[in-house]
Amino acid sequence: MVVRTVFICIFCLIFMEFQYFLIIIGTLTFFICISISSFYSLSFSCNGLVYYDYLSISLSVLTCYICLLSYICRKRVIRYKSFIILINFLLLSLVLAFNVRRFFVFFFIFESVLSILIFIIMGWGAQPERLQACTYIFIYTVFGSLFFLIGVGFLYFNGFRDRMCGIINLNNKRIHFFWWLFLIGFLIKIPIYPFHLWLPKAHVEAPVAGSILLAGVVLKLGGYGLIRFLYFFLFRYINLIYGFILNVCLLGGAYCSFVCLRQVDLKCLVAYSSVVHISLVVLGIFRNCYVGVIGSLIIIIGHGLCSSGLFSCVTCLYKSRSSRRLLMNKGFVISSPLITILFFLLISRNIAAPPRLNLLGEIIIFLSCYSVRWFFFGFLRIMRFIGAAYCLFLYTSCCHGKNSHYLISNNTIQYLDYIILFLHWLPLNFLLLFVI
Amino acid sequence: MEIFKVKAGSSIKFKFIPFLIFTACSSYFIIFLIRRRDSSFLFSYVIWSNGSFSIDFSIYFDLISVVFISTVILIGSSVLTYCYWYISDEVYYNRFIHMVVIFLIAIIFIIFIPNVFSVILGWDGLGLTSFLLVCYYQNDKSLSAGMLTALTNRIGDVLILLSIRFMFSEGRWYIYNFFCFSNMVVFSCLLLFAGITKSAQFPFCAWLPAAIAAPTPVSALVHSSTLVTAGVYILIRSYYIISHYWLFSFILQILRVITLLLARTSAIICIDVKKIVALSTLSQLRLIIFSLRIGIPFLSFFHLITHAMFKALLFLSVGSVIHSNKNIQDIRILGSGWVTMPVSMSVIVVANRSLSGLPFLRGFFSKDLIIDMLFSNTISALLYYLCFFGALFTGLYCMRITWIVFFSINKLRLTRLSLLESYYLLGPYLCLRFGSIFLGFILRAKVEVFRLFRRCSDYEILGVSFLFLVSLFYFLYLRDNKRFSPCVSFLNQMWYIESLTRQPISNSCLDFGAVLVKSLEKGWLEFCGPQGIYITFCNFSSRRESYQNNYFIKCFMVILLCSSIIMVFSCFYF
């Protein structure tokens, strides 16, 4: 996988101009890899650094695909050569993070992804508020990963080997002292409800490719970590804190879906909707059964494709109107009907309409989580209903009716944007056939 | 690049006439040849299995699904053919046609799939495409109607999704002929309410009259064979689950009476001709659900089929009247249609007589059976008279449509420019009218079960059947709405049902969202999080800075310096 990634990086740098060739190769690779690693029992470890199983393969294929999509839209940004070098670094470090075997190397990459992200936001963001956004990201995630570093150190001192996938030592009482250190690091990275404030700010300030990468793969580092350390939390099942985290997470998901109804900013709305999805992921992981983990992995992949597609779509919309306000972006069904179709398709993936990946994941999580608490269903019901409400609200306020009276500019949407949106939509529909 | 530059108007418009002929012949062939036997076929394909948990995709053929599917395809092809006449001046004609076809495919999924896991495929697709079709016209009214429709159907989606969990613990996914072993009150309630949201019974009935904001062919589909019948179809199929509990019949009884009063009283006052037809759908659904309550699911299916046929016919004909009168739906302006549109008028007569259950038309056989069962089954006298007057009201509003569209003076004064009744209009009329007239008789002759039912006295049936005579008096005496003036707005707004059910929910959700944004997102989370920490640190460091700059410190430092110098000198001195 790492070799392939290096190959892809070099390949993209060489064939930078032949983008249709890139698209075809990327899509083919995506489908083939996902269908080969269809979530079962395929695990392989080299001596030393690298370890594969279903989780790492599917997530690194997702990373490669989304990085390819952000290669495609590179011409839209200024200074695109240095941008591509940054994306290459990000791709390499993410794939290493999903495949690496040692804790300390994982921690190192976990942090280096943050610095690359800050480079992207600072270098290619537009508004001066990006300074504040970078501070938010930095403070929140470094705060979390500091605990993670301490936890790794404790783990090493308590006689565990330096392996990420070997923690199946269930009865070790020494872990009791520091299991929550890991938890905080990943939960802030995912992010769950009370720690989510950095996410909308970062998304709003990031450029297109930056927010595609952020929503598509960088947030998945947290989910990956939670699934890897699953056995770690397993014996705390009855713990008070466990229930507390789940309650806060689900309540926060329901709260965020209400907050989405009151957003006035396109990108902010999509960012908050990804917080809602993430709370489902956390629920599925903490259910601690195989079906729940599979469900949350399906949601992770579906959300990676879907919300990054929504971000690129929303970017197309506000680039053509030169404003991110919902008030200004109106009447796209008249001016550009093709983008409304793609927008509606992506929106209907976001509200988990069939036959999509998200619906399968949601159903599996619904099935797996009932026995935890009965009132979780209330939260899930609210999230699903209000989720439909805000997604349709976003769609209709952008695409239905007449143009806004305050229209300043009406730039055309380019052919390349349609290609990118289509490539986001395609695997969301047809991946279902390969996954199960 | 070229594919995105196709001009919208230049593409070929689908006409569907050969398709209509083919589907009409084949579906009537199927319906006529089918016999009620107990044979049924189930095709099932396991797509994922893991331990005891497996997901499969399955297709189920039996009498009900085959008859229903042929009816849906017949109505769908008629409506698609009718679209060519009705919205031929639409720029994006093919976009509309594609959406209608997807809508039909979704209902076909619902009919064929017995598996509650994969029936969502059709159920959710129906909700989304109906949303797109209802808000097809780009104005605010159709937008609010579309949101109301989509969100009410979304409640049903959520309930179905939750009911999957109960099937999961039962170990199989089929809801048809399902005899439950464990106590499944919650499950049956979920299914019941999911069916009620789709079929627009009382607490959720605001969306059905609102959904007439869609183009008329779409309303014909929604009201006859797709959206509302999907809910009834699920109820019929899951009858064996939900009929176990007394709650079922109790809830249905109450909802039935309320829906009956609401729909009928609004329909005799309403001045929107399309809305009258929509309200008549509401009251016919009440009949269908009633026959579910008295324990004959197949009878309700029979009436579902017949109702689909003549309701589609009624919508098409009313739509043609509206379309040829410059798209005006106001009943006070329409009139004297028999001069300009003779065929449509005759179709309106047939559909309305069928709706009010006159003898020998199609509605007679099914509706009379239900009313018959109703008279012989109801225990309380109050319900008896309510049902009797309900049937009376049906006659009233059917007559109201017919009389006014036929004979009253057309105030539009533009009927000279009337549209030609082309083949795209006459073909669908012919297909559906054949069904409306003959199919009830034939279906009744095929199904032996109906002959076993006891019939009540002939006078009652005659009374119900000839109630339209009463409506003549109504037309003569109560033609102007001034007699009802105090309660006109109350009845015209359907007892303010929309303001009572929709407004509080949406307002409270939006208010709650505003409170959350204000107090949590921009309040406490920032205050306890980054902003609070920032302010605390700023205060702390500014205090440190002021200590650093303080006069006291300076004096102290000067004293310290002097004393140290003195110390040093003294060291050297001594």
Side-chain angles (χ1 to χ4, degrees):
Chain A
M1 187 54 64
V2 177
V3 175
R4 181 187 285 144
T5 317
V6 173
F7 174 70
I8 287 177
C9 290
I10 297 166
F11 182 78
C12 293
L13 283 177
I14 294 169
F15 295 102
M16 210 182 266
E17 298 306 318
F18 305 103
Q19 54 192 11
Y20 301 107
F21 193 57
L22 265 184
I23 291 163
I24 294 162
I25 293 290
T27 322
L28 279 180
T29 324
F30 189 62
F31 277 107
I32 291 166
C33 292
I34 288 282
S35 58
I36 287 171
S37 69
S38 57
F39 292 167
Y40 295 119
S41 64
L42 176 73
S43 69
F44 172 75
S45 68
C46 297
N47 264 339
L49 195 66
V50 181
Y51 173 85
Y52 298 178
D53 61 346
Y54 63 96
L55 187 65
S56 53
I57 288 183
S58 52
L59 282 176
S60 30
V61 170
L62 179 74
T63 313
C64 292
Y65 189 69
I66 284 178
C67 285
L68 266 180
L69 291 182
S70 55
Y71 280 129
I72 295 169
C73 60
R74 73 192 179 277
K75 284 287 181 58
R76 312 293 300 276
V77 298
I78 47 170
R79 301 191 295 272
Y80 71 90
K81 284 195 174 161
S82 46
F83 189 71
I84 277 189
I85 291 168
L86 270 184
I87 286 181
N88 274 338
F89 271 117
L90 191 65
L91 172 62
L92 258 180
S93 52
L94 277 171
V95 171
L96 266 176
F98 289 135
N99 286 289
V100 88
R101 197 188 188 194
R102 297 186 184 279
F103 281 121
F104 284 107
V105 183
F106 179 73
F107 174 74
F108 176 74
I109 298 164
F110 195 74
E111 289 300 293
S112 65
V113 167
L114 175 70
S115 65
I116 296 172
L117 208 64
I118 284 178
F119 269 122
I120 290 177
I121 293 174
M122 289 293 273
W124 283 268
Q127 280 84 22
E129 282 86 10
R130 63 183 190 269
L131 289 172
Q132 196 196 19
C134 284
T135 320
Y136 268 57
I137 292 187
F138 194 77
I139 299 231
Y140 267 103
T141 47
V142 167
F143 175 75
S145 54
L146 193 66
F147 284 110
F148 178 57
L149 179 63
I150 298 168
V152 171
F154 269 127
L155 204 65
Y156 199 64
F157 279 117
N158 278 294
F160 286 90
R161 292 164 71 189
D162 191 9
R163 272 189 198 166
M164 290 194 62
C165 25
I167 319 169
I168 42 175
N169 198 353
L170 297 182
N171 297 318
N172 199 324
K173 297 290 181 198
R174 280 175 293 185
I175 299 178
H176 281 242
F177 295 110
F178 53 86
W179 64 279
W180 52 272
L181 292 171
F182 290 96
L183 205 64
I184 288 177
F186 293 131
L187 287 183
I188 292 178
K189 193 77 177 180
I190 264 192
I192 70 160
Y193 177 64
F195 308 115
H196 69 286
L197 280 183
W198 62 273
L199 189 69
K201 287 205 165 47
H203 272 306
V204 163
E205 298 309 325
V208 198
S211 56
I212 285 176
L213 285 169
L214 183 61
V217 275
V218 176
L219 300 187
K220 272 66 198 170
L221 270 176
Y224 170 75
L226 280 181
I227 295 178
R228 270 279 177 265
F229 288 82
L230 187 65
Y231 296 117
F232 211 70
F233 316 128
L234 186 65
F235 59 95
R236 309 299 301 179
Y237 183 75
I238 318 158
N239 201 316
L240 192 67
I241 297 171
Y242 173 82
F244 175 72
I245 289 172
L246 270 190
N247 285 338
V248 166
C249 174
L250 273 179
L251 191 66
Y255 274 5
C256 273
S257 57
F258 279 108
V259 167
C260 279
L261 283 176
R262 298 296 292 211
Q263 290 302 315
V264 290
D265 192 317
L266 286 172
K267 269 192 152 179
C268 248
L269 208 160
V270 182
Y272 273 108
S273 83
S274 78
V275 177
V276 179
H277 278 275
I278 286 304
S279 64
L280 275 181
V281 171
V282 173
L283 177 65
I285 292 170
F286 276 78
R287 177 61 186 84
N288 265 323
C289 64
Y290 177 73
V291 174
V293 169
I294 286 296
S296 56
L297 181 59
I298 290 173
I299 285 198
I300 281 176
I301 291 176
H303 170 258
L305 289 165
C306 170
S307 77
S308 61
L310 268 181
F311 272 116
S312 53
C313 186
V314 156
T315 313
C316 291
L317 298 187
Y318 80 73
K319 278 277 163 60
S320 77
R321 293 284 194 269
S322 313
S323 170
R324 280 202 314 265
R325 300 282 141 184
L326 273 175
L327 190 66
M328 307 291 247
N329 290 284
K330 282 186 188 305
F332 276 95
V333 76
I334 297 164
S335 61
S336 48
L338 191 58
I339 203 148
T340 50
I341 294 171
L342 287 165
F343 192 33
F344 185 76
L345 291 172
L346 285 169
I347 280 283
S348 68
R349 296 337 170 243
N350 203 24
I351 63 177
R356 323 298 174 232
L357 274 180
N358 289 3
L359 179 76
L360 184 72
E362 271 191 26
I363 288 176
I364 289 174
I365 284 175
F366 271 34
L367 295 182
S368 65
C369 76
Y370 178 75
S371 57
V372 184
R373 303 272 191 283
W374 61 270
F375 55 84
F376 281 179
F377 260 134
F379 292 133
L380 290 174
R381 211 176 299 179
I382 288 172
M383 268 148 69
R384 202 169 151 75
F385 178 71
I386 304 289
Y390 68 73
C391 282
L392 292 181
F393 164 67
L394 175 61
Y395 169 72
T396 51
S397 65
C398 284
C399 295
H400 191 274
K402 289 179 287 191
N403 270 325
S404 174
H405 295 300
Y406 313 105
L407 188 63
I408 302 166
S409 69
N410 195 359
N411 305 323
T412 51
I413 295 164
Q414 290 179 1
Y415 174 62
L416 205 59
D417 296 324
Y418 294 124
I419 292 282
I420 292 167
L421 291 182
F422 182 71
L423 286 180
H424 276 115
W425 170 78
L426 188 73
L428 268 176
N429 261 9
F430 298 104
L431 211 56
L432 192 68
L433 303 173
F434 297 102
V435 163
I436 55 178
Chain B
M1 296 283 186
E2 286 302 314
I3 31 174
F4 298 110
K5 285 181 182 172
V6 176
K7 281 180 191 171
S10 70
S11 54
I12 306 159
K13 290 182 177 179
F14 301 123
K15 286 180 184 171
F16 292 107
I17 278 283
F19 181 62
L20 175 67
I21 294 168
F22 173 69
T23 52
C25 294
S26 57
S27 53
Y28 281 126
F29 188 69
I30 289 169
I31 293 173
F32 287 157
L33 281 192
I34 207 156
R35 300 238 172 271
R36 178 156 172 81
R37 291 192 190 120
D38 287 322
S39 60
S40 53
F41 303 95
L42 175 73
F43 301 100
S44 166
Y45 175 67
V46 177
I47 48 177
W48 189 41
S49 70
N50 173 38
S52 60
F53 174 62
S54 73
I55 299 170
D56 56 346
F57 185 82
S58 45
I59 293 175
Y60 185 68
F61 292 98
D62 67 338
L63 176 76
I64 290 180
S65 65
V66 168
V67 168
F68 196 20
I69 209 81
S70 49
T71 313
V72 165
I73 288 177
L74 176 66
I75 292 173
S77 60
S78 319
V79 165
L80 285 172
T81 317
Y82 177 80
C83 281
Y84 186 75
W85 181 79
Y86 188 81
I87 50 167
S88 57
D89 50 346
E90 171 70 43
V91 179
Y92 297 107
Y93 174 77
N94 284 350
R95 181 200 291 174
F96 179 77
I97 290 293
H98 285 309
M99 285 202 282
V100 173
V101 168
I102 292 171
F103 193 52
L104 285 172
I105 288 172
I107 183 71
I108 288 170
F109 272 129
I110 283 191
I111 292 166
F112 271 146
I113 298 176
N115 182 340
V116 79
F117 196 94
S118 35
V119 84
I120 286 193
L121 201 72
W123 190 270
D124 227 346
L126 212 57
L128 282 178
T129 45
S130 69
F131 164 71
L132 283 182
L133 285 170
V134 170
C135 63
Y136 185 74
Y137 292 131
Q138 307 288 320
N139 53 29
D140 288 346
K141 195 188 167 197
S142 65
L143 174 62
S144 78
M147 284 299 267
L148 182 59
T149 309
L151 292 182
T152 315
N153 286 325
R154 188 68 178 178
I155 295 174
D157 288 351
V158 174
L159 294 179
I160 284 278
L161 203 69
L162 295 189
S163 71
I164 285 177
R165 185 256 144 204
F166 292 93
M167 302 297 284
F168 179 60
S169 68
E170 199 72 11
R172 54 197 160 154
W173 304 107
Y174 302 113
I175 48 172
Y176 293 6
N177 303 334
F178 179 95
F179 290 99
C180 34
F181 301 113
S182 51
N183 189 19
M184 300 182 82
V185 183
V186 184
F187 177 57
S188 62
C189 268
L190 287 177
L191 272 184
L192 180 65
F193 276 98
I196 281 173
T197 51
K198 269 272 199 267
S199 64
Q201 291 303 301
F202 166 61
F204 308 107
C205 65
W207 69 268
L208 192 64
I212 58 166
T216 309
V218 175
S219 327
L221 276 180
V222 164
H223 286 264
S224 68
S225 58
T226 49
L227 201 55
V228 289
T229 52
V232 181
Y233 185 74
I234 289 290
L235 284 184
I236 290 171
R237 285 302 203 177
S238 59
Y239 176 75
Y240 293 104
I241 307 174
I242 55 185
S243 63
H244 272 282
Y245 305 102
W246 63 271
L247 203 64
F248 168 71
S249 63
F250 179 69
I251 290 174
L252 279 193
Q253 181 106 356
I254 288 175
L255 296 186
R256 182 175 67 94
V257 171
I258 296 175
T259 317
L260 172 140
L261 287 175
L262 196 147
R264 296 280 159 81
T265 50
S266 311
I268 58 166
I269 281 299
C270 189
I271 54 165
D272 190 340
V273 64
K274 229 172 142 184
K275 200 168 180 180
I276 296 175
V277 182
L279 289 170
S280 80
T281 308
L282 212 58
S283 57
Q284 293 295 312
L285 284 173
R286 174 205 65 92
L287 266 185
I288 295 168
I289 288 199
F290 169 73
S291 66
L292 261 184
R293 189 208 145 246
I294 57 178
I296 316 158
F298 196 77
L299 179 58
S300 68
F301 174 70
F302 183 42
H303 191 59
L304 191 70
I305 294 292
T306 55
H307 166 255
M309 210 65 108
F310 60 70
K311 189 48 64 72
L313 192 59
L314 186 59
F315 256 107
L316 294 193
S317 51
V318 164
S320 69
V321 168
I322 290 169
H323 188 55
S324 61
N325 282 308
K326 295 198 75 174
N327 295 327
I328 283 174
Q329 304 179 358
D330 200 330
I331 210 167
R332 294 167 298 191
I333 294 175
L334 296 174
S336 64
W338 60 278
V339 182
T340 53
M341 315 193 77
V343 185
S344 302
M345 286 304 113
S346 72
V347 164
I348 281 192
V349 171
V350 169
N352 267 331
R353 293 298 82 76
S354 211
L355 183 62
S356 53
L358 238 70
F360 316 121
L361 291 180
R362 190 177 175 180
F364 168 70
F365 293 101
S366 53
K367 194 177 176 179
D368 257 15
L369 264 177
I370 292 176
I371 290 174
D372 191 349
M373 295 307 296
L374 183 149
F375 284 156
S376 51
N377 265 302
T378 43
I379 302 159
S380 70
L382 177 68
L383 279 177
Y384 179 89
Y385 285 112
L386 266 178
C387 295
F388 190 81
F389 283 107
L392 177 77
F393 275 120
T394 312
L396 285 186
Y397 63 73
C398 286
M399 265 308 171
R400 190 159 173 251
I401 298 173
T402 319
W403 287 120
I404 286 176
V405 172
F406 255 71
F407 296 123
S408 68
I409 303 156
N410 194 329
K411 299 186 183 68
L412 194 63
R413 306 200 188 280
L414 275 175
T415 43
R416 296 288 164 85
L417 299 172
S418 68
L419 297 173
L420 194 68
E421 289 178 321
S422 68
Y423 290 112
Y424 301 105
L425 187 57
L426 299 182
Y429 279 168
L430 185 67
C431 291
L432 291 176
R433 199 165 159 180
F434 181 73
S436 301
I437 294 172
F438 295 112
L439 212 58
F441 178 68
I442 291 162
L443 265 184
R444 185 163 179 272
K446 282 186 182 307
V447 183
E448 297 88 4
V449 187
F450 297 146
R451 296 185 195 143
L452 301 177
F453 296 149
R454 190 180 67 85
R455 299 198 63 134
C456 52
S457 68
D458 294 340
Y459 295 111
E460 278 172 328
I461 293 299
L462 260 178
V464 173
S465 303
F466 287 94
L467 278 173
F468 78 99
L469 284 177
V470 185
S471 63
L472 202 64
F473 293 106
Y474 165 76
F475 181 69
L476 292 177
Y477 286 104
L478 307 176
R479 191 169 35 177
D480 46 346
N481 287 332
K482 283 172 191 165
R483 286 163 193 272
F484 292 111
S485 56
C487 53
V488 156
S489 92
F490 176 70
L491 293 179
N492 208 3
Q493 301 278 334
M494 289 181 65
W495 304 5
Y496 303 124
I497 185 79
E498 196 177 333
S499 331
L500 285 176
T501 55
R502 186 176 75 154
Q503 301 281 342
I505 293 173
S506 62
N507 283 349
S508 58
C509 281
L510 286 174
D511 289 347
F512 186 56
V515 166
L516 283 179
V517 169
K518 221 174 192 177
S519 66
L520 279 177
E521 295 296 316
K522 302 216 163 103
W524 282 103
L525 286 182
E526 291 276 7
F527 182 69
C528 300
Q531 293 295 334
I533 290 171
Y534 174 71
I535 291 169
T536 320
F537 279 6
C538 278
N539 288 339
F540 188 65
S541 56
S542 69
R543 192 164 296 163
R544 294 281 298 173
E545 201 179 346
S546 68
Y547 283 147
Q548 300 286 331
N549 292 332
N550 209 339
Y551 181 70
F552 170 73
I553 301 284
K554 284 175 188 167
C555 292
F556 182 72
M557 290 303 284
V558 167
I559 291 167
L560 201 70
L561 195 67
C562 295
S563 60
S564 62
I565 289 169
I566 291 167
M567 286 279 280
V568 170
F569 274 109
S570 59
C571 281
F572 279 114
Y573 187 71
F574 292 109

